[in-house]
Amino acid sequence: MNNLFNPYCKNSKEFIKNIKDWKNFGKKTQIDKIEGVNRYTNEFWTSKQRASHSIHEISYRACFKAQLPNFFITRLTNERDMIYDPFMGRGTTLIEAAINDRNCIGNDINPLSKALVLPRLNPPSLLEIQKRLELIHFNYKLKIKNKDLLTFYHSKTLIEIEKMKNYFKNKLRNKKFDNIDNWIRMIALNRLTGHSKGFFSIYTLPPNQAVSVESQKKINKKRNQKPEYRNTKKLIIEKTKSLLRSGSIKKPKIIKIYNYNSWETKKIANNSIALTVTSPPFLDIVDYQKDNWLRCWFLDLNISKLKISQIKRIDQWENFINKTIVELERITKSKGYLAFEVGEIGKDKKELERYVINAAKNTSFKSICVLINKQNFTKTSNAWGIKNNSKGTNTNRVVIFQKK
Ligand SMILES: C[S@@+](CC[C@H](N)C(=O)[O-])C[C@H]1O[C@@H](n2cnc3c(N)ncnc32)[C@H](O)[C@@H]1O
């Protein structure tokens, strides 16, 4: 049986045995082959499973649940090994690496990602955050600069947001921006818009999907709503308490975060990574640029200049994945692993894992197996980051490779 306390596997054979001995594998697992590789399909990770650390709980489009990187990190690496994610998003892989005493490197083409991840790898205390917030003073007589945003915010709330935005900008300019500021900025980014009173805005879409000003006008009209005042400092403290409710986390000895294309990560040393757990953009399913426009505004990032990959054609997508895997081949240690997750796309339900296996064909990565987490969801279920508004099935498709 699977050893719950130390599931570490010495080699890929042990890893396969570990999967098969795992209680969730059971008898129901469907076994077949894709491109000559064994594929195991089951509802492996259910929403009833042990909850992960609360510090993960910031929303991001198409993020995976912490159970996914946790599964591979605990089985395929040892403490202080180097874990990597070239498409880190909200940083689920890096945070899970830190929780499990591993070192971590992350990369994402969008600098927003660093602002969401770095502070959570080095959280300040609640008291430090409270004291810092006391130093930020709001002057409600100031003129609002971004009047368009009154569609989302009460004028007093918008003055508070604009003040914080400038406060961080000045601290960065004067090189006084520290991990406490970084934490507060991360929470503010996360609270900008959302669908409950825990957010700075009036009711809108969930926080990982900011709508345009025009769409928000329509939402306000339809719901007959007007932005009410939200106390930004109070909401920042509340969200901080919620993120830290499972306790703080220990800062890894080595943390490196980059902002490159996934295939040109020159600063990462050859043969340095023990395990990569990652999930790329799935063709052009999510518009990361559009969904994150308000968060990017808060950070003063010019979204039109971001080169986020949104690839329509499957052959071009395979080429993009191939370039990324060739780069991963350079930086991965001999016998190191790669867990490459892709989701389900479109009505034709393309099996994206097929293209991932093919994209690695001429590299020294050998596919060990494909794990498919198939979830039958109801309206409310949400395991491994899958959420939908109807009943049905959805999948996480993970190809596991080992470098020769
Ligand atoms: C599916 S999301 C990753 C989510 C992540 N697994 C998590 O749990 O938050 C894909 C990420 O790839 C990033 N991205 C898109 N094109 C990229 C590129 N060419 N190089 C690096 N990152 C890129 C996007 O900004 C987005 O954050």
Side-chain angles (χ1 to χ4, degrees):
M1 276 299 286
N2 174 22
N3 178 348
L4 281 179
F5 299 104
N6 185 13
Y8 176 68
C9 310
K10 280 204 290 288
N11 51 42
S12 57
K13 247 189 183 167
E14 251 189 45
F15 177 63
I16 296 291
K17 184 174 177 318
N18 178 295
I19 291 176
K20 290 185 174 168
D21 287 348
W22 179 26
K23 67 173 181 348
N24 292 9
F25 198 85
K27 281 189 183 136
K28 278 196 299 184
T29 297
Q30 184 193 323
I31 304 177
D32 62 0
K33 277 192 191 279
I34 179 156
E35 301 293 318
V37 183
N38 282 337
R39 178 167 67 174
Y40 308 119
T41 306
N42 202 340
E43 186 173 4
F44 291 122
W45 288 268
T46 67
S47 45
K48 284 189 201 118
Q49 278 186 301
R50 187 173 62 93
S52 48
H53 197 292
S54 55
I55 203 151
H56 283 292
E57 291 167 11
I58 67 161
S59 50
Y60 194 80
R61 281 312 296 279
C63 61
F64 42 52
K65 280 249 165 161
Q67 287 100 321
L68 191 152
N70 177 282
F71 184 82
F72 299 105
I73 290 169
T74 52
R75 280 161 179 80
L76 299 175
T77 65
N78 277 306
E79 284 176 9
R80 285 177 289 285
D81 274 349
M82 188 60 84
I83 312 294
Y84 177 53
D85 187 348
F87 304 103
M88 71 177 170
R90 68 167 188 170
T92 321
T93 295
L94 279 79
I95 303 281
E96 206 49 38
I99 290 168
N100 288 287
D101 262 333
R102 271 65 168 172
N103 290 312
C104 56
I105 302 183
N107 175 71
D108 198 290
I109 196 76
N110 191 345
L112 162 67
S113 199
K114 181 175 178 181
L116 296 177
V117 180
L118 196 56
R120 286 179 300 133
L121 289 168
N122 184 20
S125 70
L126 181 62
L127 192 66
E128 286 176 307
I129 295 160
Q130 280 165 330
K131 279 191 178 160
R132 183 61 52 87
L133 282 172
E134 278 166 21
L135 299 178
I136 306 178
H137 301 289
F138 302 130
N139 175 359
Y140 298 110
K141 289 190 186 125
L142 277 183
K143 251 190 156 177
I144 288 171
K145 286 202 187 111
N146 304 273
K147 289 215 169 72
D148 267 8
L149 296 183
L150 289 168
T151 331
F152 294 93
Y153 306 110
H154 186 276
S155 56
K156 256 176 92 183
T157 317
L158 186 52
I159 284 173
E160 294 183 12
I161 295 171
E162 287 186 344
K163 167 73 198 200
M164 281 199 226
K165 182 175 186 278
N166 282 331
Y167 174 85
F168 297 132
K169 202 170 159 181
N170 288 335
K171 287 202 91 173
L172 277 164
R173 195 183 296 133
N174 302 327
K175 301 204 170 14
K176 296 223 162 110
F177 186 84
D178 61 13
N179 71 319
I180 309 171
D181 296 317
N182 212 2
W183 178 274
I184 296 172
R185 192 180 67 172
M186 178 272 296
I187 303 274
L189 280 168
N190 185 256
R191 296 290 94 184
L192 279 177
T193 54
H195 47 319
S196 78
K197 292 196 170 177
F199 293 94
F200 300 165
S201 72
I202 184 76
Y203 177 95
T204 178
L205 290 196
N208 54 3
Q209 260 174 293
V211 299
S212 66
V213 170
E214 283 317 306
S215 303
Q216 188 58 34
K217 276 186 190 156
K218 285 183 197 149
I219 296 176
N220 291 355
K221 197 169 168 204
K222 196 169 165 206
R223 295 175 60 93
N224 193 19
Q225 62 178 17
K226 257 196 194 153
E228 304 151 0
Y229 171 64
R230 299 278 157 81
N231 183 329
T232 56
K233 288 186 185 176
K234 194 168 149 252
L235 293 179
I236 287 171
I237 295 291
E238 276 171 17
K239 182 65 184 172
T240 297
K241 284 184 184 161
S242 165
L243 281 188
L244 297 177
R245 72 183 186 278
S246 317
S248 193
I249 64 171
K250 209 170 100 195
K251 185 182 171 196
K253 278 223 167 66
I254 307 170
I255 304 173
K256 284 182 187 154
I257 293 197
Y258 299 113
N259 179 216
Y260 298 125
N261 261 315
S262 53
W263 61 89
E264 41 191 20
T265 53
K266 292 182 195 91
K267 289 215 171 124
I268 306 179
N270 291 352
N271 309 313
S272 56
I273 306 294
L275 166 70
T276 294
V277 186
T278 196
S279 171
F282 313 146
L283 297 167
D284 61 344
I285 295 293
V286 174
D287 190 335
Y288 293 97
Q289 217 138 314
K290 207 166 107 230
D291 289 344
N292 285 314
W293 75 270
L294 203 49
R295 290 173 170 193
C296 289
W297 164 79
F298 191 73
L299 290 178
D300 263 331
L301 296 172
N302 184 346
I303 47 166
S304 62
K305 293 213 167 124
L306 294 179
K307 293 196 179 109
I308 298 178
S309 303
Q310 264 188 290
I311 301 165
K312 266 202 168 74
R313 275 178 39 196
I314 191 76
D315 56 333
Q316 288 169 353
W317 186 81
E318 189 181 310
N319 186 36
F320 155 60
I321 299 301
N322 169 261
K323 284 197 291 183
T324 303
I325 294 183
V326 167
E327 180 68 341
L328 291 172
E329 183 185 16
R330 177 185 72 77
I331 63 178
T332 302
K333 284 180 172 171
S334 165
K335 305 287 176 206
Y337 294 93
L338 163 61
F340 207 102
E341 192 257 358
V342 281
E344 205 156 83
I345 49 150
K347 285 198 184 96
D348 55 348
K349 308 247 170 202
K350 269 194 190 72
E351 297 174 308
L352 279 185
E353 69 274 28
R354 184 187 301 285
Y355 303 89
V356 174
I357 295 171
N358 285 332
K361 278 240 157 94
N362 295 324
T363 70
S364 54
F365 278 115
K366 184 174 172 288
S367 352
I368 300 175
C369 68
V370 176
L371 267 187
I372 310 251
N373 178 50
K374 185 172 176 187
Q375 193 198 354
N376 295 316
F377 54 83
T378 58
K379 269 191 166 187
T380 48
S381 69
N382 183 13
W384 268 31
I386 299 164
K387 199 158 193 172
N388 208 310
N389 285 326
S390 57
K391 285 185 181 177
T393 59
N394 216 332
T395 55
N396 297 98
R397 322 175 78 84
V398 192
V399 187
I400 300 116
F401 298 97
Q402 185 174 32
K403 190 175 156 181
K404 283 181 194 149

